[in-house]
């Protein structure tokens, strides 16, 4: 069995909490690229198209929207190389049906878009925000507001930045100055990497492998 597949099985076998990743990217294709990068590292994802921009033609494939699918007990997910996709414009992370739907995946990916309204966490999941930061005041202000909300939740939360290196550095500096420093240790930037999506995926899956090892040690 390839090492990447084995890693995914080990993670699920350890019964680690589901990872919920909110992707605030300028383009929907970036969320798909990130899903592929995670799959290369052994994770299987359920990508939720909360803005209706990843699979814009999906309504033509199904007679029922996601709310009707939930009511009927039949989610019409789309098979993808990295896992599955769900065209669900307007769905929030705290949608109760997501808890059951996500059980067989390593993570939930929510394509939130760059100007999405205030987000909500997935209950009982480890929360991660991935922010694409541009050198505009609006982009950095939006990013700061999201990070402030994330780190006020407590529990296991982290955030990754990519985009303009200078803007990411300024946002990190603002968080270090005005937010709780212990929380900001879980904020990192891959803006200077040649392949930011691969760097994010490697970092996230490496952190999870360490968490799995600590979990097993503490329960033996």
């Amino acid at each position: 069995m390839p090492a990447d597949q084995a890693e995914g099985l080990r993670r699920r076998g350890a019964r680690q909490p589901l990872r919920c990743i909110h992707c605030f990217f300028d383009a929907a294709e970036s969320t798909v690229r990130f899903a592929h990068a995670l799959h290369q590292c052994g994770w299987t994802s359920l990508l939720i198209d909360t803005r209706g921009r990843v699979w814009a033609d999906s309504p033509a494939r199904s007679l029922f929207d996601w709310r009707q699918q939930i009511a009927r007990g039949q989610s019409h997910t789309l098979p993808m190389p990295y896992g599955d996709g769900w065209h669900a414009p307007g769905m929030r992370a705290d949608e109760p049906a997501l808890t059951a739907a996500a059980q067989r995946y390593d993570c939930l990916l929510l394509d939130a878009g760059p100007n999405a309204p205030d987000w909500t966490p997935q209950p009982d999941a480890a929360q991660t925000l991935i922010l694409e930061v541009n050198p505009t005041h609006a982009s950095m202000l939006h990013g700061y507001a999201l990070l402030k909300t994330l780190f006020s939740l407590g529990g296991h939360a982290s955030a990754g930045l990519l985009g303009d290196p200078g803007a990411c550095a300024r946002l990190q500096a603002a968080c270090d100055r005005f937010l709780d420093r212990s929380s900001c240790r879980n904020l990192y930037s891959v803006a200077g990497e040649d392949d930011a999506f691969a760097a994010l995926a490697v970092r996230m899956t490496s952190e999870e492998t360490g968490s799995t090892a600590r979990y097993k040690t503490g329960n033996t």
Side-chain angles (χ1 to χ4, degrees):
M1 178 182 292
D4 58 342
Q5 295 181 26
E7 181 56 45
L9 292 175
R10 284 195 295 271
R11 182 192 177 282
R12 288 190 287 274
R15 298 181 180 178
Q16 292 295 293
L18 178 73
R19 170 76 68 175
C20 186
I21 307 174
H22 307 257
C23 299
F24 292 86
F25 295 135
D26 287 345
E29 292 78 9
S30 296
T31 306
V32 176
R33 287 181 61 189
F34 186 42
H36 281 288
L38 287 170
H39 190 258
Q40 289 294 316
C41 292
W43 279 17
T44 300
S45 304
L46 175 60
L47 198 165
I48 309 295
D49 184 11
T50 68
R51 304 298 299 277
R53 63 178 191 160
V54 180
W55 300 289
D57 63 336
S58 188
R61 306 180 191 178
S62 176
L63 294 174
F64 308 104
D65 65 20
W66 65 269
R67 294 179 180 84
Q68 293 170 313
Q69 293 171 33
I70 290 173
R72 295 168 60 89
Q74 297 177 333
S75 58
H76 297 173
T77 57
L78 309 171
M80 296 292 163
Y82 49 79
D84 290 313
W86 196 355
H87 182 263
M91 181 181 283
R92 299 184 355 155
D94 58 354
E95 165 58 48
L98 272 182
T99 300
Q103 291 304 308
R104 65 189 185 92
Y105 303 94
D106 292 301
C107 68
L108 281 174
L109 282 181
L110 286 86
D111 180 61
N115 298 312
D118 292 342
W119 65 279
T120 55
Q122 163 68 16
D124 302 320
Q127 309 295 323
T128 297
L129 296 186
I130 306 297
L131 308 178
E132 183 174 357
V133 187
N134 298 315
T136 65
H137 180 72
S139 178
M140 288 183 282
L141 189 62
H142 183 241
Y144 180 80
L146 289 170
L147 294 172
K148 182 178 180 180
T149 301
L150 173 71
F151 292 134
S152 69
L153 294 175
H156 185 53
S158 62
L161 307 179
L162 74 164
D164 181 80
C168 290
R170 289 182 62 186
L171 182 54
Q172 280 187 294
C175 291
D176 287 339
R177 180 177 180 183
F178 298 110
L179 301 182
D180 179 66
R181 286 186 176 272
S182 62
S183 297
C184 290
R185 285 198 292 266
N186 295 325
L187 172 64
Y188 52 90
S189 173
V190 295
E193 299 287 344
D194 292 335
D195 188 337
F197 300 105
L200 283 170
V202 168
R203 174 156 185 151
M204 290 189 61
T205 54
S206 298
E207 288 177 350
E208 195 71 13
T209 299
S211 297
T212 300
R214 290 191 295 272
Y215 176 89
K216 288 182 177 179
T217 301
N219 286 274
T220 55

